[in-house]
Amino acid sequence: MANPLRAAVILFPGSNREGDVARALRQATGVPPTIVWHDDRALPPGTELVVLPGGFSYGDYLRCGAIAARARIMEAVRAHAADGGLVLGVCNGFQILCEAGLLPGVLMRNAGRRFLCKTQHLRVENASTAFTRGYAPGQVVKFAIAHGEGNYAIDAEGLAELERAGRVAFRYCDARGEIGGRANPNGSIDDIAGVYNDKFNVLGLMPHPENLVDPLVGGIDGRPMFAALAAA
Amino acid sequence: MKTRVIVTLKSGILDPQGKAIEGALRSLGVEGVASVRQGKVFDIELDAGDRAAAQAKLAEACEKLLANAIVEDYAIENG
């Protein structure tokens, strides 16, 4: 690739999926992303994609993602997003984006009270964004989930706006693509697994696409997301 | 000045931790427990001129960090 995507992965104290994200990005772009420390003030020049990886930033103290959302680097991430730059938050990264106000809503304790660690089917609700162009609309994909606080909550007005504008990115479903009931692992409202901001350049989702990029670990349904980003 | 901030989930917001504690209290034979809601207490030593100034600073702290206004309420005790 002549001009590979310039990606930056933010490392907070307690992040633990930055290596997985870096590997998925390297596979898609041919080059490793830059790892950026949370206390830095600026992103590397020319950064096109910022990824907030999963983990337990600051030990989930106060609320999941609450401290990381106020980290110094987040001002640069906010400016990057405001300029239309791409931002992807996975799991704890999704929680951080919500706490930072870059995405609406909040991730609450799983309704069933248990930490969930398993593969999970999702339905691609919007396949026309920089993140999901590699999928077909309504396609059922298998990602991994690993979270204790993934129960997405938002007020009625905010929910109506997400649904009206096509900002629901993924919904939890079963292997046949049916949503609802036991297919919803954590109690998320409207079975929401991921949402976009109003300009569709910021995506947050609880499931981990970066963990399904190698047949050796059970599937490659995450690859199209990184391939689409690499081509962005 | 010794101050205290109490953050609680808004009514109607599901509180799985509170539910678990409620179940545990019942199983321990503590009678009469109708429901449990769990929250957080922050004891904050504050330099502030007077109670009104302290109130304003603590409200700022709550809005900026201590509470998530989407699902939580806060109460300030000072002086």
mmCIF file of all heavy atoms in Angstrom, chain A residues 19-52:
data_model
loop_
_atom_site.group_PDB
_atom_site.id
_atom_site.type_symbol
_atom_site.label_atom_id
_atom_site.label_comp_id
_atom_site.label_asym_id
_atom_site.label_seq_id
_atom_site.Cartn_x
_atom_site.Cartn_y
_atom_site.Cartn_z
ATOM 1 N N GLY A 19 -2.325 -4.440 22.233
ATOM 2 C CA GLY A 19 -1.553 -5.339 21.381
ATOM 3 C C GLY A 19 -2.433 -6.019 20.349
ATOM 4 O O GLY A 19 -2.028 -6.193 19.192
ATOM 5 N N ASP A 20 -3.642 -6.395 20.756
ATOM 6 C CA ASP A 20 -4.585 -7.034 19.831
ATOM 7 C C ASP A 20 -4.984 -6.070 18.722
ATOM 8 O O ASP A 20 -5.053 -6.423 17.546
ATOM 9 C CB ASP A 20 -5.846 -7.491 20.580
ATOM 10 C CG ASP A 20 -5.528 -8.372 21.773
ATOM 11 O OD1 ASP A 20 -4.830 -7.889 22.682
ATOM 12 O OD2 ASP A 20 -5.975 -9.526 21.798
ATOM 13 N N VAL A 21 -5.278 -4.822 19.120
ATOM 14 C CA VAL A 21 -5.662 -3.805 18.140
ATOM 15 C C VAL A 21 -4.496 -3.528 17.193
ATOM 16 O O VAL A 21 -4.687 -3.429 15.973
ATOM 17 C CB VAL A 21 -6.100 -2.505 18.854
ATOM 18 C CG1 VAL A 21 -6.178 -1.345 17.874
ATOM 19 C CG2 VAL A 21 -7.439 -2.697 19.535
ATOM 20 N N ALA A 22 -3.298 -3.415 17.753
ATOM 21 C CA ALA A 22 -2.126 -3.125 16.926
ATOM 22 C C ALA A 22 -1.907 -4.243 15.904
ATOM 23 O O ALA A 22 -1.578 -3.991 14.741
ATOM 24 C CB ALA A 22 -0.887 -2.947 17.803
ATOM 25 N N ARG A 23 -2.114 -5.469 16.340
ATOM 26 C CA ARG A 23 -1.926 -6.608 15.456
ATOM 27 C C ARG A 23 -2.945 -6.586 14.321
ATOM 28 O O ARG A 23 -2.612 -6.807 13.150
ATOM 29 C CB ARG A 23 -2.074 -7.896 16.278
ATOM 30 C CG ARG A 23 -1.743 -9.165 15.540
ATOM 31 C CD ARG A 23 -1.576 -10.319 16.537
ATOM 32 N NE ARG A 23 -1.371 -11.574 15.833
ATOM 33 C CZ ARG A 23 -2.378 -12.325 15.381
ATOM 34 N NH1 ARG A 23 -3.624 -11.947 15.576
ATOM 35 N NH2 ARG A 23 -2.122 -13.446 14.743
ATOM 36 N N ALA A 24 -4.213 -6.308 14.653
ATOM 37 C CA ALA A 24 -5.261 -6.261 13.634
ATOM 38 C C ALA A 24 -4.990 -5.132 12.634
ATOM 39 O O ALA A 24 -5.191 -5.292 11.425
ATOM 40 C CB ALA A 24 -6.630 -6.073 14.289
ATOM 41 N N LEU A 25 -4.520 -3.987 13.132
ATOM 42 C CA LEU A 25 -4.228 -2.854 12.246
ATOM 43 C C LEU A 25 -3.030 -3.164 11.352
ATOM 44 O O LEU A 25 -3.029 -2.856 10.161
ATOM 45 C CB LEU A 25 -3.959 -1.594 13.072
ATOM 46 C CG LEU A 25 -5.202 -0.926 13.673
ATOM 47 C CD1 LEU A 25 -4.802 0.120 14.706
ATOM 48 C CD2 LEU A 25 -6.059 -0.284 12.580
ATOM 49 N N ARG A 26 -2.030 -3.799 11.948
ATOM 50 C CA ARG A 26 -0.843 -4.132 11.160
ATOM 51 C C ARG A 26 -1.191 -5.131 10.053
ATOM 52 O O ARG A 26 -0.708 -5.019 8.923
ATOM 53 C CB ARG A 26 0.229 -4.713 12.076
ATOM 54 C CG ARG A 26 1.509 -5.010 11.335
ATOM 55 C CD ARG A 26 2.622 -5.429 12.264
ATOM 56 N NE ARG A 26 3.875 -5.472 11.529
ATOM 57 C CZ ARG A 26 5.065 -5.455 12.081
ATOM 58 N NH1 ARG A 26 5.173 -5.388 13.387
ATOM 59 N NH2 ARG A 26 6.148 -5.501 11.341
ATOM 60 N N GLN A 27 -2.043 -6.084 10.386
ATOM 61 C CA GLN A 27 -2.471 -7.065 9.393
ATOM 62 C C GLN A 27 -3.174 -6.367 8.225
ATOM 63 O O GLN A 27 -2.991 -6.739 7.069
ATOM 64 C CB GLN A 27 -3.426 -8.057 10.066
ATOM 65 C CG GLN A 27 -3.927 -9.166 9.179
ATOM 66 C CD GLN A 27 -5.001 -9.986 9.889
ATOM 67 O OE1 GLN A 27 -6.093 -9.510 10.154
ATOM 68 N NE2 GLN A 27 -4.661 -11.220 10.225
ATOM 69 N N ALA A 28 -3.987 -5.350 8.545
ATOM 70 C CA ALA A 28 -4.789 -4.687 7.511
ATOM 71 C C ALA A 28 -4.003 -3.651 6.730
ATOM 72 O O ALA A 28 -4.234 -3.466 5.537
ATOM 73 C CB ALA A 28 -6.020 -4.032 8.151
ATOM 74 N N THR A 29 -3.078 -2.952 7.406
ATOM 75 C CA THR A 29 -2.413 -1.816 6.757
ATOM 76 C C THR A 29 -0.987 -2.122 6.337
ATOM 77 O O THR A 29 -0.415 -1.391 5.530
ATOM 78 C CB THR A 29 -2.351 -0.596 7.704
ATOM 79 O OG1 THR A 29 -1.483 -0.911 8.812
ATOM 80 C CG2 THR A 29 -3.730 -0.226 8.225
ATOM 81 N N GLY A 30 -0.399 -3.162 6.916
ATOM 82 C CA GLY A 30 0.989 -3.484 6.609
ATOM 83 C C GLY A 30 1.991 -2.780 7.501
ATOM 84 O O GLY A 30 3.184 -3.087 7.457
ATOM 85 N N VAL A 31 1.512 -1.826 8.294
ATOM 86 C CA VAL A 31 2.428 -1.119 9.207
ATOM 87 C C VAL A 31 1.819 -1.093 10.610
ATOM 88 O O VAL A 31 0.594 -1.058 10.763
ATOM 89 C CB VAL A 31 2.713 0.332 8.748
ATOM 90 C CG1 VAL A 31 3.446 0.356 7.426
ATOM 91 C CG2 VAL A 31 1.425 1.137 8.676
ATOM 92 N N PRO A 32 2.665 -1.104 11.621
ATOM 93 C CA PRO A 32 2.115 -1.040 12.980
ATOM 94 C C PRO A 32 1.619 0.370 13.296
ATOM 95 O O PRO A 32 2.180 1.349 12.798
ATOM 96 C CB PRO A 32 3.316 -1.402 13.867
ATOM 97 C CG PRO A 32 4.518 -1.061 13.064
ATOM 98 C CD PRO A 32 4.132 -1.221 11.618
ATOM 99 N N PRO A 33 0.593 0.496 14.131
ATOM 100 C CA PRO A 33 0.145 1.825 14.544
ATOM 101 C C PRO A 33 1.139 2.403 15.555
ATOM 102 O O PRO A 33 1.968 1.679 16.108
ATOM 103 C CB PRO A 33 -1.192 1.538 15.231
ATOM 104 C CG PRO A 33 -1.030 0.153 15.773
ATOM 105 C CD PRO A 33 -0.162 -0.571 14.783
ATOM 106 N N THR A 34 1.056 3.700 15.772
ATOM 107 C CA THR A 34 1.834 4.328 16.833
ATOM 108 C C THR A 34 1.085 4.156 18.152
ATOM 109 O O THR A 34 -0.125 4.358 18.209
ATOM 110 C CB THR A 34 1.999 5.838 16.546
ATOM 111 O OG1 THR A 34 2.544 5.992 15.247
ATOM 112 C CG2 THR A 34 2.913 6.487 17.575
ATOM 113 N N ILE A 35 1.813 3.748 19.173
ATOM 114 C CA ILE A 35 1.205 3.674 20.498
ATOM 115 C C ILE A 35 1.443 5.024 21.183
ATOM 116 O O ILE A 35 2.582 5.487 21.277
ATOM 117 C CB ILE A 35 1.828 2.537 21.341
ATOM 118 C CG1 ILE A 35 1.732 1.187 20.607
ATOM 119 C CG2 ILE A 35 1.161 2.471 22.711
ATOM 120 C CD1 ILE A 35 0.342 0.639 20.443
ATOM 121 N N VAL A 36 0.367 5.668 21.625
ATOM 122 C CA VAL A 36 0.446 7.015 22.197
ATOM 123 C C VAL A 36 0.073 6.958 23.675
ATOM 124 O O VAL A 36 -0.971 6.404 24.038
ATOM 125 C CB VAL A 36 -0.498 7.979 21.444
ATOM 126 C CG1 VAL A 36 -0.483 9.367 22.090
ATOM 127 C CG2 VAL A 36 -0.103 8.075 19.972
ATOM 128 N N TRP A 37 0.912 7.543 24.510
ATOM 129 C CA TRP A 37 0.703 7.535 25.964
ATOM 130 C C TRP A 37 -0.385 8.529 26.347
ATOM 131 O O TRP A 37 -0.476 9.622 25.786
ATOM 132 C CB TRP A 37 2.043 7.856 26.645
ATOM 133 C CG TRP A 37 2.093 7.772 28.131
ATOM 134 C CD1 TRP A 37 2.487 8.765 28.985
ATOM 135 C CD2 TRP A 37 1.783 6.649 28.958
ATOM 136 N NE1 TRP A 37 2.425 8.318 30.285
ATOM 137 C CE2 TRP A 37 1.999 7.030 30.296
ATOM 138 C CE3 TRP A 37 1.319 5.353 28.678
ATOM 139 C CZ2 TRP A 37 1.779 6.168 31.372
ATOM 140 C CZ3 TRP A 37 1.098 4.484 29.738
ATOM 141 C CH2 TRP A 37 1.331 4.898 31.059
ATOM 142 N N HIS A 38 -1.196 8.173 27.319
ATOM 143 C CA HIS A 38 -2.362 8.973 27.713
ATOM 144 C C HIS A 38 -2.012 10.378 28.170
ATOM 145 O O HIS A 38 -2.827 11.291 28.117
ATOM 146 C CB HIS A 38 -3.115 8.261 28.838
ATOM 147 C CG HIS A 38 -2.347 8.225 30.117
ATOM 148 N ND1 HIS A 38 -2.568 9.109 31.145
ATOM 149 C CD2 HIS A 38 -1.313 7.451 30.510
ATOM 150 C CE1 HIS A 38 -1.707 8.867 32.125
ATOM 151 N NE2 HIS A 38 -0.949 7.847 31.762
ATOM 152 N N ASP A 39 -0.771 10.553 28.668
ATOM 153 C CA ASP A 39 -0.390 11.848 29.229
ATOM 154 C C ASP A 39 0.241 12.761 28.179
ATOM 155 O O ASP A 39 0.631 13.881 28.489
ATOM 156 C CB ASP A 39 0.567 11.639 30.410
ATOM 157 C CG ASP A 39 0.483 12.772 31.416
ATOM 158 O OD1 ASP A 39 -0.603 13.388 31.514
ATOM 159 O OD2 ASP A 39 1.494 13.052 32.077
ATOM 160 N N ASP A 40 0.354 12.269 26.923
ATOM 161 C CA ASP A 40 0.852 13.124 25.851
ATOM 162 C C ASP A 40 -0.203 14.180 25.522
ATOM 163 O O ASP A 40 -1.393 13.988 25.781
ATOM 164 C CB ASP A 40 1.150 12.291 24.590
ATOM 165 C CG ASP A 40 2.395 11.429 24.754
ATOM 166 O OD1 ASP A 40 3.105 11.610 25.764
ATOM 167 O OD2 ASP A 40 2.637 10.570 23.889
ATOM 168 N N ARG A 41 0.283 15.275 24.906
ATOM 169 C CA ARG A 41 -0.647 16.359 24.557
ATOM 170 C C ARG A 41 -1.144 16.261 23.124
ATOM 171 O O ARG A 41 -2.195 16.802 22.797
ATOM 172 C CB ARG A 41 0.046 17.708 24.729
ATOM 173 C CG ARG A 41 0.321 18.066 26.163
ATOM 174 C CD ARG A 41 0.967 19.437 26.280
ATOM 175 N NE ARG A 41 1.316 19.723 27.661
ATOM 176 C CZ ARG A 41 0.451 20.189 28.558
ATOM 177 N NH1 ARG A 41 -0.795 20.416 28.216
ATOM 178 N NH2 ARG A 41 0.830 20.406 29.810
ATOM 179 N N ALA A 42 -0.363 15.605 22.270
ATOM 180 C CA ALA A 42 -0.683 15.640 20.838
ATOM 181 C C ALA A 42 -0.635 14.242 20.224
ATOM 182 O O ALA A 42 0.088 13.362 20.699
ATOM 183 C CB ALA A 42 0.301 16.549 20.114
ATOM 184 N N LEU A 43 -1.413 14.076 19.169
ATOM 185 C CA LEU A 43 -1.343 12.863 18.360
ATOM 186 C C LEU A 43 -0.209 13.024 17.363
ATOM 187 O O LEU A 43 0.168 14.148 17.030
ATOM 188 C CB LEU A 43 -2.667 12.667 17.622
ATOM 189 C CG LEU A 43 -3.889 12.460 18.518
ATOM 190 C CD1 LEU A 43 -5.182 12.623 17.719
ATOM 191 C CD2 LEU A 43 -3.838 11.077 19.166
ATOM 192 N N PRO A 44 0.353 11.914 16.855
ATOM 193 C CA PRO A 44 1.389 12.033 15.830
ATOM 194 C C PRO A 44 0.837 12.811 14.629
ATOM 195 O O PRO A 44 -0.336 12.648 14.281
ATOM 196 C CB PRO A 44 1.693 10.578 15.452
ATOM 197 C CG PRO A 44 1.252 9.775 16.625
ATOM 198 C CD PRO A 44 0.084 10.504 17.213
ATOM 199 N N PRO A 45 1.644 13.665 14.007
ATOM 200 C CA PRO A 45 1.169 14.441 12.850
ATOM 201 C C PRO A 45 0.595 13.525 11.774
ATOM 202 O O PRO A 45 1.166 12.476 11.488
ATOM 203 C CB PRO A 45 2.436 15.147 12.350
ATOM 204 C CG PRO A 45 3.351 15.168 13.521
ATOM 205 C CD PRO A 45 3.057 13.949 14.322
ATOM 206 N N GLY A 46 -0.520 13.908 11.216
ATOM 207 C CA GLY A 46 -1.115 13.137 10.127
ATOM 208 C C GLY A 46 -1.939 11.941 10.562
ATOM 209 O O GLY A 46 -2.373 11.149 9.729
ATOM 210 N N THR A 47 -2.186 11.816 11.874
ATOM 211 C CA THR A 47 -2.991 10.689 12.355
ATOM 212 C C THR A 47 -4.380 10.714 11.715
ATOM 213 O O THR A 47 -5.049 11.744 11.716
ATOM 214 C CB THR A 47 -3.141 10.744 13.889
ATOM 215 O OG1 THR A 47 -1.848 10.578 14.482
ATOM 216 C CG2 THR A 47 -4.080 9.646 14.399
ATOM 217 N N GLU A 48 -4.779 9.567 11.146
ATOM 218 C CA GLU A 48 -6.098 9.477 10.504
ATOM 219 C C GLU A 48 -7.099 8.711 11.364
ATOM 220 O O GLU A 48 -8.291 8.974 11.330
ATOM 221 C CB GLU A 48 -5.957 8.783 9.148
ATOM 222 C CG GLU A 48 -5.135 9.588 8.149
ATOM 223 C CD GLU A 48 -4.624 8.744 7.004
ATOM 224 O OE1 GLU A 48 -3.689 7.945 7.237
ATOM 225 O OE2 GLU A 48 -5.149 8.870 5.887
ATOM 226 N N LEU A 49 -6.608 7.731 12.100
ATOM 227 C CA LEU A 49 -7.485 6.910 12.945
ATOM 228 C C LEU A 49 -6.911 6.846 14.355
ATOM 229 O O LEU A 49 -5.724 6.563 14.539
ATOM 230 C CB LEU A 49 -7.580 5.486 12.381
ATOM 231 C CG LEU A 49 -8.204 4.425 13.308
ATOM 232 C CD1 LEU A 49 -9.715 4.654 13.474
ATOM 233 C CD2 LEU A 49 -7.942 3.008 12.777
ATOM 234 N N VAL A 50 -7.766 7.100 15.343
ATOM 235 C CA VAL A 50 -7.385 6.926 16.751
ATOM 236 C C VAL A 50 -8.182 5.752 17.296
ATOM 237 O O VAL A 50 -9.400 5.681 17.092
ATOM 238 C CB VAL A 50 -7.698 8.185 17.590
ATOM 239 C CG1 VAL A 50 -7.462 7.926 19.071
ATOM 240 C CG2 VAL A 50 -6.849 9.353 17.113
ATOM 241 N N VAL A 51 -7.506 4.819 17.953
ATOM 242 C CA VAL A 51 -8.206 3.696 18.582
ATOM 243 C C VAL A 51 -8.009 3.755 20.092
ATOM 244 O O VAL A 51 -6.883 3.898 20.582
ATOM 245 C CB VAL A 51 -7.699 2.339 18.051
ATOM 246 C CG1 VAL A 51 -8.497 1.199 18.699
ATOM 247 C CG2 VAL A 51 -7.807 2.267 16.539
ATOM 248 N N LEU A 52 -9.124 3.688 20.826
ATOM 249 C CA LEU A 52 -9.080 3.539 22.274
ATOM 250 C C LEU A 52 -9.334 2.063 22.550
ATOM 251 O O LEU A 52 -10.426 1.557 22.293
ATOM 252 C CB LEU A 52 -10.153 4.398 22.957
ATOM 253 C CG LEU A 52 -10.188 5.887 22.592
ATOM 254 C CD1 LEU A 52 -11.249 6.611 23.428
ATOM 255 C CD2 LEU A 52 -8.841 6.541 22.785
#
